[in-house]
Amino acid sequence: MKKLLGPMLYARNQPSGDTWSFFVNLYLGDSDPARPPPLRLRFQRLDGTELTEAVQAPPRCVADFSALSGQAAGVLWRWEVTLAREDSPTRVTYRFEPGEGCPALSQVDFAAPGNPVKPWSGEDVRTVVVPAKGALPRAAFFSCNGASDAKTWGSVMRMKRPFGCWADMLAQHEETKEGGFELLLGGGDQVYADSLLDHEPLVEFRKRELEKKLDRDFGPPPGFHEQMLARYVELYCERWSGSVGIAPMLARVPGVFTWDDHDIFDGWGSHEALQSCEWFESIYSAAAQAFEAFQLGGLKTEEKKPARRKPCDAHYLQTLRFTGTECDVDLVALDLRSGRTYRRQVNGKMAHQVMSPEQWDSLDAWRQEHAKDAGAKPRHVIVLSSIPLVHLRFGPSVETVGGDTEMHDDMLDQWESVVHRGERIRLMVDLLQLAKMSCCAVTVVSGDVHVGARGLIRSRNPEHIPAGLAEAAIEQVTSSGIVHPPPNMLQFMGMRLLAEESVDDLPSYMQTEMLPVGKSRYLRERNWLSLRVEPARSKVARPKLWLRWEAEHTSLSMQVVVEPPPLSSPLVATHS
């Protein structure tokens, strides 16, 4: 039996403030999916006391990739963990130990150069932070964990600290004074899969004329889907392994991840007619299954063997609640890739779509359910949007001229694109109405754009504003990227010259605005985000959400502070 990837922790709903529960996953080669591996997952306090009740059931198979070709064939196993909370945050350790008669696990080295894999050992110990009873988790948010091409990746590996931001996050987690992190949020591009397009037979396919690519008689060869799935699985085993980078945090902090285009390939959803061709459908299906297994923690079908996924047939909207004594936090992770379409309507016009109708229905149903608890206690809603709702906006003429350049799909990717602005307004209105109906503060957290930024959504629409307030407001905090380098000064100046940054007046009496991050409007260095809810300091105060950029080089003193509305008056989110 071989360890191919892991361990990896995944967050769960926390309906009670008395326990802390999560999943622990291991991806194992030479493993029989019908027989749980003879491994014992042990949890201990720092003083060595055994937590015998932490794991009460044997692991179960959540993805069976054992039939794949290559060294990445294996089975994904899940252990369910529940830990009792105490009056203050506690640290526990865990390890896997081979059972009786089980040979020692070997370690397959998938890691990229510069990020070696340490040999697997039964003594490998990880530290997990358990929140205090009734407390809310301290979270770390990241995006853009890689590079889109070999040249950019080479520049990353030549840096003095290629994974410096990950090292800083791990240091904060291990630092007992800060308390560590209990939740890891991935905002998209957790892996960069663009290199997979350079393998045969895709190289030959990409040379063909568009008409030939769309010809169903020129479909992919037999086994192409399985071949691509094996490559995506190998990619996760490579990029999520190693002694530095993302792997140490995956093994210590329960995660929630949405995806973006590079988790499939650059610009997925903005490639017009090609998205419906059989080649791209196979690529998407393979990427979706790998995403389900390694980012969601298990395949989303009862049959844990690979099965085809088609674009727009399903979505990955996620909602989780973390219940606290004073305040609740709801996490809404939007899926802005699986439902993207660009297709010709009956009238001949082209229709663009970011979120599928099914996802809109699911989001609406969740909003209605969430509003039923309005006024019970203060609440924060954190919305993960892989792309910013407020950022640089390129006008129609720039997007038209950019249609023949490499920037075209990057422009179409963004909510600010002219082809998505109607749908973008719908989402902003829904979030403003959510804040009012549910008596909660709404904060948007995003990534993708390789700079840190801050946006504000305002509304003076009476439907969004309770009596006594002048306006409603939603903060947006953008953090990107944790590994991908920022654009150089010349590149970024060119982008800003082509784009608008002023206050944008929108229908329904709404406005958006970009606000400074520290001394500048944008944070042009690698960064990630820390989030925490501070308990109320008095009977009249309310628990505040604090968001802070953690930059690679600059120490930023500013933080974004979001306060939930008073229960006596269902206000929308305020900002400080």
Side-chain angles (χ1 to χ4, degrees):
M1 192 161 53
K2 300 174 292 188
K3 184 175 82 71
L4 304 177
L5 183 60
M8 300 163 288
L9 275 53
Y10 299 89
R12 303 177 65 181
N13 271 312
Q14 306 293 330
S16 169
D18 295 328
T19 59
W20 184 246
S21 58
F22 51 90
F23 300 124
V24 180
N25 284 16
L26 267 183
Y27 186 54
L28 302 175
D30 295 336
S31 180
D32 183 350
R35 298 178 60 187
L39 291 173
R40 182 186 178 194
L41 177 57
R42 297 180 59 188
F43 279 81
Q44 293 180 328
R45 301 181 190 272
L46 295 184
D47 63 6
T49 305
E50 191 86 14
L51 299 173
T52 57
E53 302 298 317
V55 183
Q56 297 190 1
R60 65 186 185 92
C61 169
V62 291
D64 178 10
F65 295 145
S66 59
L68 296 180
S69 60
Q71 62 178 350
V75 179
L76 187 64
W77 294 98
R78 172 193 285 174
W79 285 258
E80 297 187 17
V81 178
T82 300
L83 299 167
R85 300 204 212 181
E86 300 181 7
D87 293 335
S88 59
T90 56
R91 290 175 181 265
V92 300
T93 63
Y94 76 91
R95 68 182 60 162
F96 286 93
E97 293 185 353
E100 185 177 352
C102 176
L105 285 173
S106 61
Q107 171 74 59
V108 178
D109 187 354
F110 285 98
N115 187 11
V117 174
K118 292 182 179 179
W120 173 265
S121 167
E123 297 302 313
D124 286 348
V125 175
R126 279 85 173 181
T127 303
V128 177
V129 178
V130 181
K133 187 178 296 185
L136 293 166
R138 182 171 179 239
F141 171 87
F142 73 96
S143 68
C144 302
N145 177 48
S148 54
D149 55 69
K151 181 180 179 181
T152 306
W153 183 249
S155 68
V156 170
M157 298 310 296
R158 288 191 296 271
M159 294 179 178
K160 185 176 180 180
R161 301 172 72 223
F163 304 102
C165 286
W166 281 118
D168 294 343
M169 187 190 295
L170 179 61
Q172 279 202 33
H173 177 72
E174 300 291 354
E175 173 57 55
T176 56
K177 184 178 179 181
E178 285 285 346
F181 295 103
E182 295 110 351
L183 192 61
L184 182 65
L185 307 177
D189 297 340
Q190 278 70 248
V191 296
Y192 276 68
D194 308 282
S195 61
L196 301 189
L197 298 183
D198 294 329
H199 292 283
E200 292 290 352
L202 278 168
V203 173
E204 182 63 28
F205 164 75
R206 294 170 67 190
K207 294 177 181 177
R208 300 280 178 153
E209 298 291 335
L210 176 61
E211 183 178 349
K212 187 69 172 179
K213 291 177 180 177
L214 298 175
D215 186 352
R216 284 283 174 173
D217 293 332
F218 177 58
F224 175 71
H225 174 265
E226 290 72 21
Q227 181 184 8
M228 291 306 300
L229 178 57
R231 287 176 174 166
Y232 273 101
V233 172
E234 288 175 1
L235 188 75
Y236 278 92
C237 290
E238 175 189 318
R239 303 294 170 81
W240 282 17
S241 293
S243 57
V244 295
I246 191 175
M249 291 303 296
L250 292 174
R252 289 166 172 81
V253 184
V256 180
F257 311 106
T258 187
W259 65 345
D260 204 21
D261 57 337
H262 290 284
D263 297 292
I264 309 167
F265 62 79
D266 184 23
W268 173 263
S270 302
H271 286 273
E272 305 172 0
L274 276 176
Q275 186 170 318
S276 62
C277 81
E278 192 174 352
W279 291 78
F280 273 31
E281 286 181 355
S282 293
I283 295 171
Y284 172 84
S285 177
Q289 289 178 63
F291 169 75
E292 290 178 15
F294 299 112
Q295 297 205 43
L296 302 185
L299 296 183
K300 296 300 175 184
T301 56
E302 290 299 322
E303 178 64 38
K304 297 309 177 185
K305 291 183 179 293
R308 289 285 187 137
R309 310 286 192 269
K310 292 195 66 174
C312 303
D313 273 8
H315 63 82
Y316 300 113
L317 174 73
Q318 302 170 73
T319 58
L320 287 85
R321 171 165 293 186
F322 300 90
T323 300
T325 302
E326 294 184 358
C327 178
D328 291 346
V329 171
D330 287 275
L331 182 66
V332 179
L334 301 176
D335 173 8
L336 306 184
R337 286 298 159 181
S338 66
R340 281 197 179 229
T341 60
Y342 183 80
R343 56 182 55 156
R344 190 174 300 278
Q345 297 175 302
V346 176
N347 59 10
K349 298 179 181 179
M350 301 303 292
H352 295 262
Q353 171 184 292
V354 178
M355 290 166 53
S356 67
E358 291 76 16
Q359 184 175 185
W360 281 110
D361 290 344
S362 296
L363 181 60
D364 288 343
W366 179 85
R367 290 193 307 124
Q368 296 298 323
E369 190 67 26
H370 190 264
K372 293 179 181 179
D373 297 327
K377 68 170 80 167
R379 289 190 291 177
H380 286 278
V381 173
I382 300 172
V383 178
L384 299 189
S385 174
S386 58
I387 53 175
L389 277 165
V390 185
H391 198 60
L392 295 172
R393 57 185 185 274
F394 299 96
S397 59
V398 176
E399 288 195 10
T400 300
V401 173
D404 296 324
T405 71
E406 293 183 358
M407 290 183 61
H408 183 58
D409 68 306
D410 293 328
M411 294 177 181
L412 291 182
D413 274 349
Q414 297 302 312
W415 273 122
E416 289 276 16
S417 171
V418 292
V419 300
H420 300 314
R421 300 198 87 194
E423 193 174 2
R424 169 178 174 259
I425 289 172
R426 175 181 176 179
L427 180 57
M428 289 192 292
V429 168
D430 281 357
L431 296 181
L432 288 164
Q433 290 179 343
L434 166 66
K436 181 177 180 180
M437 292 189 307
S438 290
C439 188
C440 66
V442 176
T443 305
V444 177
V445 180
S446 65
D448 180 69
V449 291
H450 303 159
V451 293
R454 181 184 178 189
L456 185 65
I457 302 168
R458 292 193 180 101
S459 175
R460 295 183 175 85
N461 189 326
E463 295 182 2
H464 305 155
I465 308 172
L469 284 185
E471 65 177 19
I474 292 176
E475 286 275 7
Q476 175 192 272
V477 180
T478 300
S479 175
S480 175
I482 195 166
V483 170
H484 198 291
N488 63 44
M489 180 62 74
L490 186 61
Q491 290 172 330
F492 199 57
M493 287 178 62
M495 292 170 61
R496 295 183 68 177
L497 285 173
L498 292 172
E500 289 286 343
E501 300 178 320
S502 60
V503 174
D504 192 17
D505 291 307
L506 300 172
S508 197
Y509 302 100
M510 296 189 300
Q511 282 185 336
T512 62
E513 180 180 3
M514 297 295 295
L515 300 176
V517 178
K519 296 180 180 179
S520 304
R521 176 162 286 189
Y522 302 97
L523 177 61
R524 201 178 54 82
E525 61 183 277
R526 300 194 300 182
N527 65 93
W528 53 282
L529 196 70
S530 63
L531 306 89
R532 63 184 175 89
V533 175
E534 181 186 75
R537 298 183 179 181
S538 68
K539 291 184 178 180
V540 296
R542 298 182 294 280
K544 297 179 177 64
L545 172 64
W546 293 73
L547 305 99
R548 181 177 68 197
W549 288 271
E550 307 285 354
E552 182 175 19
H553 304 294
T554 305
S555 179
L556 295 174
S557 60
M558 73 161 290
Q559 299 188 55
V560 176
V561 187
V562 180
E563 187 177 50
L567 299 181
S568 58
S569 176
L571 312 182
V572 295
T574 59
H575 66 286
S576 303

